[in-house]
Amino acid sequence: MNHDIVIQTFGLTRTYGEAEAKVTALSGVDLAIKAGEFTAIVGPSGSGKTTLLHLIGGLDRPSAGHIELGGTNIAEMSGTQLSDLRRDQIGFIFQAYNLIPVLSARENVEYVMLLQGMDPAERKRRTDLMLQLVGLEGLGERRPAQLSGGQQQRVAVARAMASSPAIIFADEPTANLDSKTGVALLDLMKRLNEDEGVTFVFSTHDEKIMDIARRLVYLHDGVIERDERR
Amino acid sequence: MLNLKLAFRNLFRNGRRTLLTCLLIGFSLSALIIVDGIILGMSKLLVESATHLMSGEAQVHRRGYLDSFDVDLYIADPGALQATLERNPAVAGYSMRVMSGGMVSSPYNVAAAMILGLDAGQEKSVSRISESLVDGEYLSGMDTELIIGSDLADLLEVKLGDRIVLTLSQVDGGGISQELFRLSGISRFGIRELDSTTAFINLDRARGMMGMDTAVHEIAIRYAEGEDSANRNHPLLAELSNSEYEALGWKDFNASIGTMLETIDLVTIVVGMILFLLASFGVINTMFMSIYERIYEFGVIKAIGTRPTDLIKLVLCESFLIAVGSVICGTLLGGAVSYYFSVSGVILGEFEVSGIAFHNNIYSVLEPAQFIEFPIYVILLTVIASLYPAAFAAKIVPSEALQKSL
């Protein structure tokens, strides 16, 4: 495995159901993501984008094949080991309802660092820095319900970055945003990728957003159809 | 700390549901506090009625007397026992009694009765015979004095001052003794057995009739501390017992009441278990509803690195806080109602159960256990009931949870 590669899949397959009801969501996917890449997984609905992100993000287990993160096959990890892996090495941004509604934006960003047991001073410093990076300084005390959809996604980006993960997965992060806000969010992610070196992998079927990505992985019926670098 | 903060805030996400759950558990706790207070009050009244009315809290007899009530099984020389009772600080009072079955005859009727010879002074420190008089005077030591129960007086068709003849057999194979008395008092205990078949005369007169000299059949004892009466193994009982004499606490010589009290305790436990079982189902239901509502959120929380054990802790923290809120509600409500009943009493009127007369209201008894142990049980039970939903939450698969609710 190349030392630049953050995560790599080998023959990744995921099926649901059995016998006649068996559905293959992903079939023999080989994919390597290098550090610092800004990759979009694209494809129509049902192509397997979310399944792929869930598998390489350690949220689901493959039916066949394996996934290596830092040389370790994460498919063989226990539930608690996977939780720790996600906490320390992976950041997630979902379509919507990313945040814990009873916590303020600041507390949401702090959450993963609290799980990591980071000391309070460092936690505060990083929280301030993350909120500043996503342009939400001054809004930290607001609860998610008091923030717009775009602002909520920015908080989710800040939270995903807070633990300094090796890679951040974003599953259609702009799906619930208007196009202007969606593009702004992607611009933010791209800026963070360029300035801070954060590795992003996101799924989308929005063509305007695809244009921002430097690498496009086309999925169709659970198979990688094309892999383009720009 | 994080879990506690999250749990606390989560409770207010559906405030009405949290409040209803707290009320459900709180009402169960308050019901248990109230029921336990009334049952303790009833038990206390039962014990007092059983012991203070007539029998005393402990008794000394010749071994075998209680099995046969054979008049020949008497305590020939009660002096040593009396000396022990006099010097023991645990004893508030004692009374020596002579007892025999006999005939009570008036000019109009005849009836069988239990005739008790009492020391009028001693008896006041042990029983309520003097307080049970509804007519006439208590015994003063005069030879011809006789008190009979109200129902027996009706049967004999006698009134105060009327002549009554008592017939009883003498001890140790002696002959029949028959003597004339004047009705000096009529008692009413509210217990049919006592009111229809009991006659009281002075101790010395009874001894004389039965040829017993200084002997007695029974020494009834009242403890200085009420709690001592429940102790079947009180040191005093051992001190008074030997190969010839047997000293027993009331639970042993009145076993039916002891059994009744044990049954009452069991009923309290069963009622408590039913109440808390129902409340537990409420807690399980509430926690499941709460988890199902937040299943997507739990998916996100797990996805970003929360361990399954942390989710268990979160759910348990929520149920712990619900339990604490419930305990505060339940203790305040139950305590207030129980306190009211402890002051005003529960009005029951006059009735008799298993030979025990209840004349008074039942006054609730407030015990520290009701406000310390019961709430601890409630908190433990609520948290235990939440283990199942907590385990469910811990097993949520993020990838499945994230497909829901969007």
Side-chain angles (χ1 to χ4, degrees):
Chain A
M1 185 174 167
N2 190 314
H3 73 278
D4 278 334
I5 292 173
V6 179
I7 201 157
Q8 190 165 10
T9 70
F10 301 90
L12 201 59
T13 300
R14 181 68 167 104
T15 55
Y16 298 100
E18 287 180 9
E20 288 177 2
K22 187 171 178 178
V23 175
T24 302
L26 221 53
S27 179
V29 170
D30 297 317
L31 178 69
I33 306 288
K34 288 182 181 174
E37 278 192 331
F38 193 72
T39 307
I41 312 281
V42 296
S45 293
S47 59
K49 301 188 296 293
T50 296
T51 303
L52 177 60
L53 284 186
H54 283 181
L55 286 171
I56 57 179
L59 297 179
D60 196 6
R61 293 179 190 274
S63 307
H66 69 274
I67 308 146
E68 283 188 5
L69 180 77
T72 308
N73 182 6
I74 68 171
E76 290 175 352
M77 287 182 167
S78 70
T80 301
Q81 284 173 324
L82 276 177
S83 293
D84 292 351
L85 175 89
R86 293 194 296 263
R87 181 193 66 196
D88 298 331
Q89 307 222 37
I90 298 170
F92 279 103
I93 304 161
F94 301 103
Q95 280 184 32
Y97 308 114
N98 261 296
L99 307 177
I100 302 168
V102 293
L103 298 182
S104 67
R106 163 175 285 282
E107 288 167 333
N108 265 287
V109 176
E110 278 188 303
Y111 183 84
V112 178
M113 291 184 280
L114 273 164
L115 293 178
Q116 288 177 317
M118 195 180 285
D119 81 88
E122 175 62 7
R123 207 166 63 221
K124 183 182 179 312
R125 191 191 68 74
R126 281 198 65 77
T127 304
D128 289 339
L129 178 66
M130 292 304 125
L131 287 173
Q132 191 190 337
L133 281 174
V134 299
L136 288 176
E137 57 270 58
L139 298 179
E141 300 312 316
R142 291 195 184 178
R143 295 265 180 105
Q146 296 167 312
L147 297 169
S148 68
Q151 287 170 330
Q152 286 182 38
Q153 290 301 71
R154 281 165 182 264
V155 176
V157 172
R159 181 183 64 193
M161 288 174 52
S163 58
S164 308
I167 190 164
I168 294 177
F169 296 109
D171 186 11
E172 306 214 27
T174 61
N176 280 31
L177 303 177
D178 60 73
S179 58
K180 191 179 161 189
T181 312
V183 169
L185 180 73
L186 262 292
D187 280 340
L188 167 72
M189 286 164 59
K190 190 167 188 186
R191 181 167 57 77
L192 292 170
N193 167 253
E194 288 167 355
D195 297 350
E196 308 293 326
V198 181
T199 309
F200 278 98
V201 178
F202 60 96
S203 66
T204 186
H205 54 254
D206 186 334
E207 291 195 358
K208 274 183 280 181
I209 290 170
M210 288 178 209
D211 292 342
I212 299 170
R214 284 204 303 267
R215 181 183 174 190
L216 289 169
V217 177
Y218 288 89
L219 267 183
H220 193 264
D221 289 342
V223 176
I224 294 179
E225 208 174 48
R226 228 163 58 227
D227 189 349
E228 289 179 6
R229 282 193 164 83
R230 297 171 178 179
Chain B
M1 197 59 202
L2 171 68
N3 278 329
L4 210 58
K5 184 201 278 185
L6 260 176
F8 184 75
R9 293 184 187 174
N10 279 334
L11 294 183
F12 294 97
R13 292 169 73 165
N14 194 332
R16 188 186 300 171
R17 186 174 59 210
T18 302
L19 179 69
L20 287 173
T21 308
C22 283
L23 288 177
L24 171 72
I25 304 168
F27 278 134
S28 300
L29 174 62
S30 59
L32 188 64
I33 289 173
I34 294 164
V35 167
D36 188 64
I38 291 172
I39 284 178
L40 283 179
M42 197 163 86
S43 300
K44 190 180 167 196
L45 196 61
L46 195 67
V47 172
E48 283 180 1
S49 298
T51 60
H52 295 186
L53 201 63
M54 184 76 188
S55 69
E57 292 165 342
Q59 293 179 350
V60 190
H61 304 97
R62 180 93 168 265
R63 285 194 184 275
Y65 177 79
L66 285 177
D67 300 329
S68 61
F69 291 97
D70 180 351
V71 290
D72 291 342
L73 292 174
Y74 51 80
I75 299 167
D77 181 12
L81 296 172
Q82 208 173 344
T84 303
L85 292 167
E86 288 286 350
R87 69 168 181 269
N88 196 312
V91 178
Y94 66 91
S95 179
M96 295 195 287
R97 297 168 177 168
V98 166
M99 300 188 288
S100 172
M103 298 297 293
V104 187
S105 316
S106 75
Y108 310 102
N109 217 335
V110 178
M114 175 60 78
I115 297 158
L116 281 93
L118 313 171
D119 180 308
Q122 286 179 347
E123 198 61 40
K124 279 184 175 174
S125 66
V126 175
S127 73
R128 290 191 180 138
I129 296 170
S130 63
E131 297 164 31
S132 68
L133 287 182
V134 290
D135 204 0
E137 300 292 330
Y138 182 56
L139 301 173
S140 66
M142 285 174 62
D143 262 5
T144 57
E145 284 173 332
L146 169 72
I147 297 170
I148 60 172
S150 54
D151 293 346
L152 184 57
D154 290 341
L155 181 72
L156 297 173
E157 298 178 43
V158 290
K159 58 183 186 304
L160 290 179
D162 284 354
R163 286 178 296 182
I164 292 176
V165 173
L166 297 188
T167 307
L168 42 82
S169 51
Q170 294 183 321
V171 297
D172 299 330
I176 295 292
S177 178
Q178 194 170 58
E179 293 191 15
L180 181 69
F181 291 81
R182 292 274 180 183
L183 186 61
S184 58
I186 296 173
S187 61
R188 179 166 171 74
F189 294 95
I191 300 171
R192 204 178 327 130
E193 191 183 336
L194 283 177
D195 292 337
S196 61
T197 61
T198 315
F200 305 103
I201 58 176
N202 284 297
L203 178 64
D204 288 341
R205 185 79 190 274
R207 279 170 166 161
M209 283 180 77
M210 295 179 74
M212 289 176 70
D213 196 15
T214 59
V216 294
H217 286 115
E218 176 176 286
I219 303 175
I221 301 162
R222 172 82 73 91
Y223 288 109
E225 299 295 332
E227 297 82 47
D228 284 350
S229 71
N231 184 0
R232 283 180 147 136
N233 302 310
H234 196 285
L236 175 69
L237 303 178
E239 199 178 343
L240 294 170
S241 298
N242 56 31
S243 59
E244 199 175 354
Y245 306 134
E246 181 180 42
L248 297 172
W250 70 268
K251 281 188 176 175
D252 287 314
F253 64 75
N254 206 340
S256 62
I257 303 299
T259 307
M260 193 190 294
L261 284 178
E262 281 167 12
T263 308
I264 288 172
D265 286 345
L266 194 67
V267 167
T268 312
I269 292 168
V270 170
V271 167
M273 283 174 69
I274 291 170
L275 283 172
F276 287 119
L277 199 65
L278 292 175
S280 299
F281 284 125
V283 171
I284 291 171
N285 182 49
T286 298
M287 297 315 294
F288 264 119
M289 281 171 68
S290 168
I291 289 167
Y292 276 123
E293 267 179 14
R294 293 183 284 159
I295 205 143
Y296 181 87
E297 189 181 314
F298 276 109
V300 171
I301 288 174
K302 278 196 95 171
I304 61 175
T306 307
R307 288 178 173 185
T309 49
D310 286 326
L311 277 185
I312 290 177
K313 286 180 198 165
L314 175 64
V315 174
L316 293 185
C317 272
E318 287 179 20
S319 67
F320 173 76
L321 291 174
I322 286 175
V324 169
S326 308
V327 158
I328 292 169
C329 295
T331 307
L332 287 175
L333 179 66
V337 174
S338 207
Y339 176 75
Y340 172 77
F341 285 144
S342 75
V343 174
S344 304
V346 182
I347 300 163
L348 292 176
E350 189 175 307
F351 65 98
E352 178 193 336
V353 177
S354 293
I356 304 300
F358 290 90
H359 300 282
N360 305 312
N361 294 350
I362 290 179
Y363 292 91
S364 285
V365 174
L366 278 73
E367 290 277 343
Q370 294 161 351
F371 302 95
I372 298 170
E373 284 178 26
F374 290 179
I376 290 172
Y377 294 150
V378 169
I379 290 172
L380 283 177
L381 205 70
T382 307
V383 173
I384 289 168
S386 301
L387 281 173
Y388 177 37
F392 174 83
K395 285 180 185 166
I396 287 172
V397 178
S399 59
E400 290 172 9
L402 290 166
Q403 304 299 320
K404 294 181 178 170
S405 303
L406 270 180

